[in-house]
Amino acid sequence: KERDKLNEKREAIEKEKKTGQYAERIIKEVENIANYKTTKKIILTDNEIIVQTNTLYINEEVEEKRYLLGEMEIHMPTNVCDGIRLYNLTGTRNAYNTNMHHPHVFAEGDPCLGSFSKTITECRARDNFFGLYLTLINFCRTVDIEDEAGRYIIAWDEVDEEGNIICEGKEKSYTVCEVCGRDIEEEDAYTCNECGRTI
């Protein structure tokens, strides 16, 4: 019985030590995020790390153009079952859909991560929040213009190397269907000459 008690005590001490090491590692991860050059503000809640960034730019490599994305708010949940969310604090654009935060981030903040998915999954599985943050910053700074959503990068302002706007964004026109309330592209809308309703 005494041996069993000692073993239980030893296991408890080892568990506590591992918990302490984990806490120290997470604190270091958060410090690395806070000290990174793109970070403007960091907020810690019970279930997520929220990072507000400085102004970010998207570098489009095919046509070698640069676009103003703006300041982003990145939500990184501690629970891997909860989704990552990204919000554009500078403003959304009507692009592939209405109120897009980025060519690949929808109105609700849900990103379409594409080729970034594998790295993000690996970072989340290891609680590597700094690596996750760097990957999401990289995601925000890139666009695939050959992708259906990525080709709408033109909705954002094109800028020069100093960040001066050289061509204002061309947002897509949407209207609301008066029957179902869904956003529809103007070219797909029909307005009745009799009652004036748009469907």
Side-chain angles (χ1 to χ4, degrees), residues 7-61:
N7 281 335
E8 283 176 16
K9 192 171 185 180
R10 179 177 55 79
E11 285 172 10
I13 289 168
E14 283 178 2
K15 186 177 179 184
E16 190 177 312
K17 187 178 179 184
K18 284 179 184 174
T19 304
Q21 289 170 345
Y22 176 78
E24 284 176 21
R25 189 171 67 75
I26 296 302
I27 289 167
K28 187 68 178 166
E29 298 269 332
V30 171
E31 285 175 352
N32 287 338
I33 293 169
N35 294 327
Y36 196 67
K37 59 187 174 184
T38 57
T39 303
K40 183 176 184 180
K41 183 178 180 182
I42 189 166
I43 302 162
L44 302 176
T45 70
D46 289 340
N47 52 13
E48 64 182 353
I49 298 170
I50 303 168
V51 185
Q52 294 175 0
T53 73
N54 297 316
T55 300
L56 300 178
Y57 298 90
I58 299 173
N59 294 308
E60 190 280 294
E61 294 178 357

Side-chain angles (χ1 to χ4, degrees), residues 21-186:
Q21 289 170 345
Y22 176 78
E24 284 176 21
R25 189 171 67 75
I26 296 302
I27 289 167
K28 187 68 178 166
E29 298 269 332
V30 171
E31 285 175 352
N32 287 338
I33 293 169
N35 294 327
Y36 196 67
K37 59 187 174 184
T38 57
T39 303
K40 183 176 184 180
K41 183 178 180 182
I42 189 166
I43 302 162
L44 302 176
T45 70
D46 289 340
N47 52 13
E48 64 182 353
I49 298 170
I50 303 168
V51 185
Q52 294 175 0
T53 73
N54 297 316
T55 300
L56 300 178
Y57 298 90
I58 299 173
N59 294 308
E60 190 280 294
E61 294 178 357
V62 176
E63 296 180 4
E64 297 182 346
K65 292 183 178 179
R66 190 171 194 239
Y67 295 88
L68 173 63
L69 179 61
E71 295 182 7
M72 297 295 288
E73 185 172 272
I74 299 171
H75 290 246
M76 298 180 289
T78 52
N79 185 341
V80 293
C81 296
D82 296 334
I84 291 165
R85 293 180 324 284
L86 306 170
Y87 301 102
N88 194 320
L89 301 177
T90 304
T92 58
R93 297 290 172 118
N94 291 335
Y96 176 72
N97 213 321
T98 55
N99 302 317
M100 300 286 285
H101 295 276
H102 175 281
H104 300 292
V105 181
F106 294 91
E108 297 78 21
D110 301 317
C112 178
L113 297 167
S115 62
F116 289 87
S117 294
K118 185 180 177 190
T119 307
I120 285 170
T121 301
E122 289 171 357
C123 287
R124 295 194 79 188
R126 293 181 172 89
D127 287 334
N128 179 0
F129 290 103
F130 184 51
L132 176 60
Y133 176 64
L134 294 180
T135 305
L136 291 170
I137 289 292
N138 194 24
F139 167 80
C140 288
R141 289 174 159 169
T142 58
V143 67
D144 178 5
I145 62 166
E146 293 172 359
D147 176 87
E148 181 66 24
R151 65 189 177 96
Y152 288 104
I153 185 62
I154 58 170
W156 280 263
D157 298 335
E158 185 183 346
V159 295
D160 60 20
E161 287 301 314
E162 285 76 41
N164 302 310
I165 297 172
I166 55 176
C167 182
E168 288 189 7
K170 298 174 184 73
E171 293 189 63
K172 196 170 181 181
S173 296
Y174 287 90
T175 190
V176 176
C177 173
E178 294 178 35
V179 175
C180 68
R182 187 169 61 91
D183 290 320
I184 49 176
E185 297 173 30
E186 279 192 355

